[in-house]
Structure formats: C-alpha cells, structure tokens
Amino acid sequence: MIFILFFGILIVSNSQECTTTIKGIFSKQIYEFERSINQLRNEVAQARQQNHMGLFEYAANMQITTWSIGLSRGAQNCAERCPDSLNTCKNLKGDFGILFHQRMVDSSGVEWNPQDIVKKWMLNQQNAEQLVIATISQFGCGRAIKKSVDKYMEYVVCFFDQAPVDGKAAYIVANEKSIAKACRFGRSNQYSGLCASSYNKMLIMNPEHSSRIFESQDKQQKQ
C-alpha cells in the first residue's frame, strides 16, 4: 500500500488490489472445458490437428483427462487473485501445470465459451504443450470477474496435474496403426485416439444443468 500526498489530496494506491464480484464456473462450462480439451487431444493424437510444434504426429499414449474438484479449487483461488502472469499464483500451483486467460469485457454477465479459450491457448507453443501432455489425467479451472472503471476484467485459470518438463516429449509419437496402443488402461470408449484413465468421474456433468460449482459471494452483482 502506497500513500502519496499531492497538492493536499491523499491518493491511495494498492497495486495488489483485487476485488472480484463474480466468482466460479457453471457446470455447463465444466462440461465444455472437459469436452473441448479432450476433443483437442483426440484430434492431435490422430494427427488431424497440429500439435504444439506445428506438426501432425500420431500419439500412442495420449490419455483422456477428467475434471478435478481439488484442482478447480486451486484454480479458482488463483483466478480470484486477478493474475496478470503465471507468477501471480506460483505459490499455489506447486508442481502442477497452469494456463490462464484474461480479457476486458463490457458486462459482468458476459457470455463466454471454454472452447474459444482452449483454441486461443493452442495458438501459443508453450500453452499448447501443456494441453497435449499425454499423461495428464486431471485438470480443473476457475473464473472471476473484477470491475475495472466502466468495464470488467475476466480471469480464467486452469490447473493441470502435470506440467511440461524440459527435454521430455509431450507424448510418444506413433504411426497410424499404433494410435493409443501404449495405453496402460486400454483405449477410451469415448475417444478413439485417447487412452482410458484410471480416474472415475467425480461429477456427472449435464450440459443443460446450470447450477454453480462455486457460488458468487456477491449475488447482487450477477446480471
């Protein structure tokens, strides 16, 4: 906190101030995040989409990933800190991977689509690598909105149970006949290019259900 006396006016500055009014993610968006990330991983694994290196390479061990309540709580905590860089939540993420997205919006009730965020992450090599690490089993995301003069700043953060490792390939490169052939638990029933996961679903996600996973602490701010 910095106090500055300027021409008899006391100016209070707090560079760390972050007061969010809208907090949390609806289960509809949770479903969309999980679907979008797994569809992306499935497309990359079958060489239908470029990977983080800009190459079309099949994957032998790309796992399906599922939502984690624990990771989503950490990500929500981070989002409520109004992160402007990965360092903002460094003490929260531990060894986990992290991706974040921010944008200025006109309304606190603005529509948003997790698929659009995932697509934007894929445009950056470092972010894209995080999304296609083969052995990621779980992830979780959080969202918060802060009033910024006459507009609002939206923050979306996702934590992953693994982060990229320097010098280690994101996945085992395969050929067309060996896609998902290096799976410890067999191939996924949902995505033909992905391996099954050892994790059971922690939530039954209905895309039409709109109950909050994290309730806003200021419901009057919802529009």
Side-chain angles (χ1 to χ4, degrees):
M1 182 79 71
I2 302 173
F3 296 87
I4 303 174
L5 187 61
F6 185 69
F7 293 119
I9 301 175
L10 182 65
I11 301 175
V12 180
S13 172
N14 187 347
S15 61
Q16 300 301 317
E17 183 180 358
C18 175
T19 303
T20 54
T21 56
I22 302 297
K23 306 175 185 180
I25 295 181
F26 289 105
S27 56
K28 176 181 179 180
Q29 276 77 41
I30 293 176
Y31 170 85
E32 288 298 328
F33 255 128
E34 190 174 89
R35 183 185 63 83
S36 297
I37 291 176
N38 280 317
Q39 281 187 346
L40 165 69
R41 290 165 67 82
N42 187 53
E43 292 295 296
V44 170
Q46 297 184 80
R48 296 174 181 169
Q49 177 168 325
Q50 293 178 332
N51 61 18
H52 59 296
M53 299 296 291
L55 303 174
F56 292 91
E57 294 181 321
Y58 300 105
N61 64 330
M62 187 83 73
Q63 287 189 170
I64 191 171
T65 184
T66 59
W67 185 267
S68 163
I69 295 177
L71 290 175
S72 67
R73 286 173 178 160
Q76 182 62 38
N77 191 349
C78 178
E80 291 175 21
R81 296 186 179 194
C82 307
D84 56 5
S85 73
L86 297 180
N87 290 329
T88 304
C89 301
K90 189 174 182 180
N91 64 322
L92 290 176
K93 76 181 189 69
D95 294 329
F96 300 126
I98 179 173
L99 292 177
F100 82 99
H101 167 81
Q102 67 180 68
R103 63 169 178 163
M104 190 74 75
V105 295
D106 293 325
S107 167
S108 62
V110 65
E111 291 291 324
W112 66 289
N113 187 344
Q115 185 177 20
D116 294 337
I117 295 175
V118 172
K119 286 181 178 180
K120 289 180 180 178
W121 282 337
M122 279 300 292
L123 298 177
N124 175 279
Q125 182 177 342
Q126 184 177 358
N127 292 343
E129 183 179 7
Q130 177 65 73
L131 291 171
V132 300
I133 295 173
T135 50
I136 287 175
S137 297
Q138 292 191 304
F139 77 100
C141 305
R143 177 177 180 262
I145 289 184
K146 179 185 75 171
K147 179 73 173 176
S148 180
V149 191
D150 60 340
K151 292 184 180 293
Y152 295 84
M153 185 66 76
E154 176 188 57
Y155 301 91
V156 178
V157 179
C158 291
F159 280 8
F160 299 81
D161 62 2
Q162 292 190 44
V165 177
D166 289 341
K168 183 178 179 180
Y171 58 85
I172 298 173
V173 176
N175 57 48
E176 188 173 4
K177 293 184 178 180
S178 59
I179 299 171
K181 291 294 186 180
C183 300
R184 183 179 177 185
F185 300 100
R187 183 173 293 196
S188 166
N189 292 326
Q190 296 171 265
Y191 299 95
S192 59
L194 301 183
C195 300
S197 171
S198 60
Y199 288 92
N200 293 321
K201 284 285 188 182
M202 300 182 72
L203 291 173
I204 298 175
M205 299 172 190
N206 181 345
E208 300 302 321
H209 184 52
S210 59
S211 63
R212 271 192 182 276
I213 299 303
F214 298 99
E215 289 289 342
S216 169
Q217 294 181 4
D218 187 358
K219 294 183 179 180
Q220 293 181 351
Q221 292 293 328
K222 289 202 301 181
Q223 296 183 4

